[in-house]
Amino acid sequence: FNIQLMKSDGSNIHDPIPGDLHDGYSLAWSPDSTLLAFACTSGSEICIANVRTNTVQVIKPDLDSEIRDLAWSPDGRQIAFRRLKSEPYISEIYIINADGSNLRNVSGNGSLRAERPVWSPDSNYIAFKSSDMSSSQVQVVKADGTDLHSPTENRIKGRKHN
């Protein structure tokens, strides 16, 4: 499909993406609204389109799998995303710097489905949903990949269970 931009009043519809990268999906705006990140090249790469200059930077995370759920850090320096693994219903959360460096898995190497990464306003933490076939919970991890934990584990309506 084609990615098109327009002003909020519906005017100035234009295509900021070169023709060979139109298979983009999982769109995410940078905090300053100048860059649009999306999964491209059959979902295995991250494209970052500068909507002012109509130029695109292609980031190749070298994961040989599909990328989904892109999320810019509030400081604009990093992008979190979900990597779909080849096993059904298994996925992991990764972070990569906006320049394509420092790729890292922050969700651990478990057998869960990790999805929908969301940054804290200070860019220091990421929360994401993790689930297996019977339950789901929220996980929180520092952006450097340390301190992975679940603030919702064993809690229902704010009460801790024994």
Side-chain angles (χ1 to χ4, degrees):
F1 66 88
N2 290 350
I3 296 171
Q4 294 189 329
L5 298 178
M6 66 180 174
K7 291 187 175 182
S8 60
D9 65 5
S11 66
N12 194 28
I13 297 173
H14 66 284
D15 182 354
I17 313 299
D20 60 340
L21 297 173
H22 274 127
D23 61 345
Y25 49 90
S26 195
L27 308 172
W29 281 106
S30 65
D32 66 2
S33 300
T34 61
L35 303 173
L36 183 63
F38 57 96
C40 61
T41 316
S42 300
S44 63
E45 297 174 347
I46 299 171
C47 288
I48 301 176
N50 184 314
V51 298
R52 293 187 178 146
T53 63
N54 290 354
T55 57
V56 177
Q57 171 192 3
V58 179
I59 296 174
K60 301 177 182 184
D62 195 28
L63 293 171
D64 194 32
S65 58
E66 290 189 47
I67 294 170
R68 299 279 189 278
D69 299 346
L70 278 72
W72 281 92
S73 61
D75 64 14
R77 298 184 320 186
Q78 301 175 92
I79 300 170
F81 63 91
R82 175 171 57 125
R83 172 196 179 208
L84 301 178
K85 295 181 75 173
S86 58
E87 299 89 358
Y89 306 108
I90 305 297
S91 55
E92 300 168 322
I93 302 298
Y94 278 78
I95 299 174
I96 194 167
N97 290 349
D99 65 3
S101 64
N102 199 20
L103 175 69
R104 59 211 180 273
N105 178 339
V106 296
S107 62
N109 293 316
S111 58
L112 298 176
R113 179 182 181 109
E115 57 189 336
R116 300 182 186 146
V118 178
W119 288 89
S120 63
D122 62 6
S123 299
N124 289 329
Y125 292 89
I126 296 172
F128 60 92
K129 176 187 169 188
S130 69
S131 58
D132 57 23
M133 298 305 278
S134 63
S135 66
S136 63
Q137 60 187 344
V138 173
Q139 297 279 343
V140 176
V141 63
K142 288 184 179 178
D144 65 5
T146 62
D147 195 24
L148 176 65
H149 66 282
S150 175
T152 61
E153 189 171 39
N154 298 322
R155 291 186 181 265
I156 297 177
K157 295 182 181 176
R159 294 186 180 160
K160 191 166 185 168
H161 293 266
N162 295 329

